[in-house]
């Protein structure tokens, strides 16, 4: 398993090295421009920040934390995450490695639920978190620190309601109160464990969710963390079977699909020394088939395991117990699905980018070669010609230069239109519009405390947000078409080798908005229950929706700004190159006019330049080929037991 991740990381690093070699060479050969550099930097950042996230989802007491310990942390010889009867994970817990923070646990207080901010909003506010350092050399201390994720406290009902953690319309809630009429709540809203585990250091992120009830009360899980996980392990228990709440969370929050695995844990509860091994296995298979039927899956998509026995077997190096726990089959399925699927996504993105990148650089080189060839043709045509012919060629080049300068005035007019359209684009999708629209919805919610009124306010919000993105998309199309006309004009009138402008689309952001709206609709769209708790829950959901939409528009604005800065870069680079070539052509012929004996020397010099450019072209293709080879490199899949 560790070697699977190591091979994926090695593949990724191979692509990074090939791309950096390309970046350094094109810079040294003066073949880079703002658009090229942006493309390369963006892809390097994508590779270096690449993460693989795995979410563990279940009702409490299904053995989530023990399963995480068994799969990822058995080599430490003890339980890293607390695991015991009852609820041990009280708040969503992420395990990852970020060297900027060092070994630590960052904890977000539950009181933050009283504000109109999602968990994601607080990630950029270090002061909001309580930080506990982890002493990696003291196992007992570290284990005690991990217990913070299960810490609870008792608060009055009014305080719990303020945090959205008490539903007064639920008839079962009063029986959960203690003798003083208080509610037990988690001490923390979210935990981030920063731990230098080899897999976490290579980009793995593990999400341990609390019980299913928390999935409803913490919208960040429903709207962001679980849907965006590359793999989701939905854990059931063999001793309880599939409960009603299990079915609801599977249908509403997970569902069948790539990277979605169902785990039937605690099969050791079915082990019986008074029954034969065949009978026990047959009973496990019946339970497996029943779970698959209820969740509309094939039996092979349900993995029976004993996380506790697997952990014990790994710690004690008991191969027989490990085999009986059946964990190897789950590990194999997890990593055989997770890593290739993630690699295919990254590979496709990079392949598309490389093709666009190399096309632009070859265009610049071909333009230089064409200029040299034209100058060689002119110089060779001067052999044996008199001064009047040379003077005529000088006048012809001068006319060509003036015509080119006249075209530049047309480009200035295009720039004015470009500036206007850019302003209109920002008007459609600016962050001020996003902020004002969020405030409008919150005001509408306050005016209408009925469930249907609140729901209509959110529905209208999605419609306006989509309309803003659609209007912005229309402006990007206008800009692209206008620049395309200019690119084609310069190509046809002056023989420039120009690829069309770098494309840009807001489709990814529309898709993200649609996915948020779909989750919202699934959660609230068909409900008719008019209760205070449902209104409060919807308001909490809207806080997270607003955070996700803000993030979506912030990224869209950033990408649009970067695109607008570089959309003219290839054209401007070719214009500069063409102006220099015209200047050099005129200068060369002027020198031939003044001293005809230097003609052959000039021809020799240009022929050497042509050879050098052809060599550069071959080297460029070689470096691009190296990136392609790195992207398409395969590694041998290892057995999870390795």
């Amino acid at each position: 398993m560790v070697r699977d991740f190591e091979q994926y990381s090695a593949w990724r690093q191979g692509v990074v090295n090939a791309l950096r070699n390309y970046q350094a060479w094109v810079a040294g050969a003066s073949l880079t421009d703002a658009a090229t550099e942006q493309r390369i930097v963006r892809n390097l950042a994508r590779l270096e920040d690449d993460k693989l996230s795995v979410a563990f989802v279940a009702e409490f007491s299904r053995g989530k934390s023990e399963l995480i310990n068994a799969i990822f942390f058995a080599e430490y010889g003890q339980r890293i995450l607390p695991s015991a009867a009852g609820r041990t994970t009280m708040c969503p817990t992420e395990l990852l490695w970020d060297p900027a923070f060092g070994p630590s646990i960052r904890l977000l207080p539950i009181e933050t639920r009283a504000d109109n901010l999602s968990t994601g909003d607080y990630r950029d506010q270090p002061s909001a978190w309580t930080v506990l350092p982890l002493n990696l050399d003291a196992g007992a201390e570290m284990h005690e620190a991990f217990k913070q994720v299960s810490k609870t406290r008792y608060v009055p009902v009014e305080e719990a309601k303020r945090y959205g953690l008490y539903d007064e319309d639920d008839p079962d809630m009063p029986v959960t109160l203690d003798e003083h009429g208080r509610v037990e709540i988690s001490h923390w809203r979210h935990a981030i464990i920063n731990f230098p585990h080899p897999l976490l250091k290579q980009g793995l992120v593990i999400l341990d969710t609390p019980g299913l009830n928390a999935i409803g009360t913490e919208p960040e899980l429903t709207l962001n963390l679980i849907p965006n996980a590359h793999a989701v392990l939905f854990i059931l228990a063999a001793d309880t079977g599939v409960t009603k709440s299990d079915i609801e969370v599977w249908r509403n929050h997970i569902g069948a699909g790539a990277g979605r695995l169902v785990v039937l844990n605690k099969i050791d509860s079915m082990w019986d020394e008074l029954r034969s091994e065949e009978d026990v296995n047959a009973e496990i298979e019946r339970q497996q088939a029943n779970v698959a039927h209820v969740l509309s899956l094939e039996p092979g998509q349900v993995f029976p395991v004993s996380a506790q026995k697997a952990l014990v077997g790994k710690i004690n190096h008991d191969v027989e117990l490990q085999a009986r726990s059946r964990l190897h089959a789950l590990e194999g399925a997890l990593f055989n699905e997770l890593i290739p699927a993630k690699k295919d996504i990254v590979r496709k993105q990079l392949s598309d980018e490389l093709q666009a990148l190399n096309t632009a650089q070859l265009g610049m080189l071909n333009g230089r070669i064409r200029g040299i060839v034209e100058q060689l043709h002119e110089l060779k045509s001067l052999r044996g010609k008199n001064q009047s012919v040379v003077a005529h060629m000088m006048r012809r080049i001068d006319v060509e230069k003036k015509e080119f300068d006249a075209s530049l005035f047309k480009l200035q007019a295009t720039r004015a239109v470009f500036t206007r359209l850019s302003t209109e684009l920002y008007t459609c999708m600016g962050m001020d519009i996003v902020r004002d629209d969020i405030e409008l919805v919150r005001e509408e919610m306050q005016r209408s405390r009925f469930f249907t009124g609140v729901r209509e306010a959110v529905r209208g919000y999605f419609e306006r947000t989509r309309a803003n993105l659609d209007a912005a998309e229309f402006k990007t199309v206008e800009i692209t078409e206008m620049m395309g006309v200019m690119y084609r004009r310069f190509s046809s009138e002056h023989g420039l080798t120009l690829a069309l402008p770098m494309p840009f689309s807001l489709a990814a952001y529309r898709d993200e908005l649609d996915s948020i709206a779909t989750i919202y609709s699934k959660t609230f769209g068909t409900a008719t229950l008019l209760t205070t708790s449902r209104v409060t829950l919807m308001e909490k959901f809207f806080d997270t929706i607003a955070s996700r939409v803000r993030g979506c528009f912030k990224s869209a604005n950033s990408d649009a700004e970067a695109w607008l800065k570089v959309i003219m870069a290839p054209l401007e680079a070719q214009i500069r190159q063409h102006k220099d070539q015209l200047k050099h052509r005129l200068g060369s012929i002027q020198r031939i006019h003044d001293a005809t004996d230097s003609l052959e020397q000039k021809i020799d010099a240009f022929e050497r330049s042509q050879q050098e450019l052809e060599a550069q072209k071959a080297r460029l293709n070689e470096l691009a080929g190296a990136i392609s080879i790195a992207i398409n490199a395969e590694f041998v899949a290892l057995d999870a037991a390795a």
Side-chain angles (χ1 to χ4, degrees):
M1 178 183 64
V2 174
R3 282 197 285 168
D4 284 341
F5 266 86
E6 287 175 346
Q7 287 188 329
Y8 176 77
S9 295
W11 169 81
R12 187 174 56 199
Q13 190 58 46
V15 178
V16 167
N17 292 340
L19 192 53
R20 282 181 174 156
N21 288 339
Y22 186 97
Q23 180 186 35
W25 187 85
V26 296
S30 301
L31 284 171
T32 190
D33 54 34
T36 301
E37 187 62 22
Q38 184 193 104
R39 267 200 169 106
I40 295 175
V41 169
R42 182 175 60 196
N43 282 289
L44 284 172
R46 178 184 293 158
L47 286 163
E48 290 169 356
D49 294 339
D50 185 40
K51 301 293 183 184
L52 287 159
S53 57
V54 182
F56 289 72
V57 180
E59 182 59 281
F60 67 89
S61 294
R62 298 295 195 266
K64 292 187 310 300
S65 300
E66 193 77 325
L67 186 60
I68 295 173
N69 285 325
I71 295 177
F72 299 106
F73 298 111
E75 66 268 27
Y76 285 88
Q78 64 177 13
R79 288 185 175 93
I80 294 297
L81 293 181
S83 178
R87 302 181 68 168
T88 54
T89 304
M90 291 297 293
C91 67
T93 303
E94 289 180 85
L95 292 96
L96 49 81
W97 174 246
D98 183 345
F101 290 94
S104 60
I105 301 179
R106 283 176 283 157
L107 299 156
L108 185 64
I110 196 68
E111 287 81 2
T112 59
R113 283 183 59 91
D115 300 325
N116 292 328
L117 293 174
S118 72
T119 304
D121 291 323
Y122 284 105
R123 289 179 185 268
D124 297 326
Q125 299 183 27
S127 61
W129 299 74
T130 298
V131 181
L132 303 178
L134 285 177
N135 185 354
L136 302 181
D137 298 322
E141 287 183 26
M142 194 163 59
H143 188 68
E144 284 300 312
F146 283 136
K147 288 183 179 179
Q148 281 288 335
V149 300
S150 58
K151 189 175 180 181
T152 64
R153 62 190 178 91
Y154 285 89
V155 299
V157 168
E158 286 304 313
E159 184 175 350
K161 286 169 63 177
R162 192 162 67 250
Y163 305 147
L165 298 175
Y166 185 85
D167 184 355
E168 60 188 355
D169 300 301
D170 185 343
D172 296 327
M173 289 300 289
V175 300
T176 65
L177 303 177
D178 71 355
E179 65 273 18
H180 303 294
R182 297 176 304 177
V183 183
E184 185 183 19
I185 65 171
S186 172
H187 201 84
W188 309 106
R189 182 180 181 185
H190 196 86
I192 299 176
I193 298 176
N194 206 52
F195 193 77
H197 184 281
L199 294 180
L200 302 182
K201 291 173 79 171
Q202 291 175 45
L204 179 68
V205 177
I206 301 168
L207 173 64
D208 185 10
T209 65
L212 301 183
N213 289 336
I215 292 178
T217 57
E218 188 52 73
E220 186 81 4
L221 289 170
T222 305
L223 287 166
N224 190 12
L225 296 177
I226 293 176
N228 291 331
H230 299 103
V232 177
L233 273 65
F234 183 53
I235 300 111
L236 307 170
D239 55 358
T240 60
V242 186
T243 66
K244 182 180 178 181
S245 60
D246 288 331
I247 295 172
E248 288 178 355
V249 82
W250 172 257
R251 290 175 179 170
N252 295 332
H253 303 298
I254 305 174
R260 270 49 184 163
L261 306 177
V262 176
V263 181
L264 183 62
N265 193 20
K266 301 188 179 182
I267 60 170
D268 55 291
S269 66
M270 303 168 71
W271 296 353
D272 188 344
E273 295 179 358
L274 300 179
R275 301 167 66 189
S276 69
E277 189 73 13
E278 291 76 13
D279 288 343
V280 171
N281 287 338
E283 180 61 29
I284 291 174
E285 288 175 10
R286 280 194 293 272
Q287 188 84 301
Q288 180 183 12
N290 179 63
V291 169
H293 174 72
V294 172
L295 300 181
S296 301
L297 298 170
E298 293 298 321
Q301 295 175 275
V302 178
F303 295 85
V305 303
S306 170
Q308 194 269 337
K309 300 305 180 188
L311 179 62
V312 172
K314 286 186 176 184
I315 291 175
N316 295 332
H317 306 289
D318 186 335
V319 176
E320 183 179 345
L321 186 58
Q322 290 183 56
R324 200 178 182 198
S325 75
R326 304 195 186 193
L327 187 66
H328 292 332
L330 173 63
E331 290 177 329
L334 173 61
F335 294 106
N336 287 338
E337 283 198 26
L338 176 63
I339 294 176
K342 177 63 173 173
K343 185 178 177 183
D344 285 344
I345 293 171
V346 176
R347 175 183 283 159
K348 186 179 185 308
Q349 291 172 335
L350 290 173
S351 296
D352 294 344
E353 286 285 333
L354 174 62
Q355 183 176 0
L357 187 68
N358 203 43
T359 297
Q361 306 323 114
L362 282 174
M364 291 183 70
L365 261 181
N366 286 331
R368 292 180 185 180
I369 292 171
R370 186 186 64 253
I372 292 291
V373 169
E374 289 175 353
Q375 291 181 73
L376 268 173
H377 177 73
E378 289 173 344
L379 291 174
K380 288 178 179 179
S381 69
L382 293 176
R383 284 170 169 158
K385 298 293 190 299
N386 57 32
Q387 293 276 8
S388 63
V389 173
V390 176
H392 173 72
M393 293 184 69
M394 289 174 59
R395 288 192 296 273
R396 192 183 70 190
I397 295 172
D398 190 52
V399 169
E400 187 178 339
K401 183 176 180 299
K402 289 177 179 177
E403 289 175 351
F404 187 74
D405 289 340
S407 294
L408 296 183
F409 283 106
K410 297 177 184 177
L411 180 61
Q412 293 302 319
T414 301
R415 281 185 175 280
V417 179
F418 174 80
T419 300
R420 176 178 60 79
L421 290 175
S422 299
T423 302
E424 292 173 359
L425 171 60
Y426 287 128
T427 301
C428 297
M429 56 186 284
M431 296 307 294
D432 288 346
I433 293 175
V434 176
R435 181 200 61 218
D436 294 344
D437 214 0
I438 290 170
E439 291 177 357
L440 174 63
V441 177
R442 289 210 172 102
E443 290 173 3
E444 290 175 346
M445 285 180 168
Q446 291 300 315
R447 286 197 298 269
S448 176
R449 297 295 297 170
F450 291 105
F451 183 78
T452 52
V454 173
R455 186 169 60 190
E456 287 304 315
V458 178
R459 182 176 289 123
Y461 172 73
F462 279 121
E463 290 175 355
R464 292 191 300 274
T465 305
R466 281 195 196 94
N468 288 337
L469 276 182
D470 289 343
E473 183 76 74
F474 181 77
K475 292 300 174 185
T476 65
V477 170
E478 275 194 88
I479 292 170
T480 303
E481 289 178 347
M482 180 190 69
M483 293 307 302
V485 169
M486 183 57 65
Y487 271 53
R488 285 188 288 270
R489 178 184 297 166
F490 270 84
S491 295
S492 62
E493 292 180 359
H494 305 290
L496 304 186
T497 305
L498 283 167
L500 288 176
M502 181 191 294
F504 181 75
S505 173
L506 293 169
Y509 301 107
R510 286 204 308 275
D511 291 345
E512 183 176 354
L513 184 66
D514 288 343
S515 70
I516 298 170
T518 298
I519 294 171
Y520 156 77
S521 180
K522 189 182 292 185
T523 307
F524 296 108
T526 59
T528 57
L529 185 62
L530 303 178
T531 64
T532 303
S533 62
R534 293 290 289 178
V535 171
T536 302
L537 181 58
M538 185 180 284
E539 289 174 338
K540 288 294 177 188
F541 256 74
F542 181 72
D543 292 342
T544 303
I545 287 170
S547 175
R548 285 284 305 277
V549 172
R550 267 198 307 268
C552 176
F553 270 74
K554 185 176 180 180
S555 297
N557 273 270
S558 177
D559 286 353
E561 182 179 2
W563 173 67
L564 292 171
K565 283 181 179 178
V566 303
I567 189 172
M568 285 192 177
L571 176 60
E572 290 173 336
Q574 288 274 31
I575 286 172
R576 286 194 300 271
Q577 183 170 296
H578 191 68
K579 286 180 72 174
D580 288 342
Q581 288 173 352
L582 288 173
K583 181 180 177 181
H584 290 152
R585 284 168 60 192
L586 188 61
S588 295
I589 296 176
Q590 176 70 58
R591 284 188 289 274
I592 300 302
H593 182 270
D594 296 338
T596 55
D597 59 342
S598 65
L599 176 60
E600 293 303 322
Q601 294 175 347
K602 286 292 180 184
I603 290 174
D604 289 342
F606 276 106
E607 285 178 340
R608 287 194 300 272
S609 295
Q610 183 181 5
Q611 292 169 0
E612 290 172 2
L613 288 172
E614 291 292 350
Q616 283 188 340
K617 186 175 178 180
R619 180 57 176 159
L620 182 70
N621 284 325
E622 181 184 335
L623 289 167
I627 300 175
S628 182
I629 290 171
I631 290 172
N632 293 300
E634 297 293 344
F635 53 74
V636 179
L638 299 176
D639 188 272

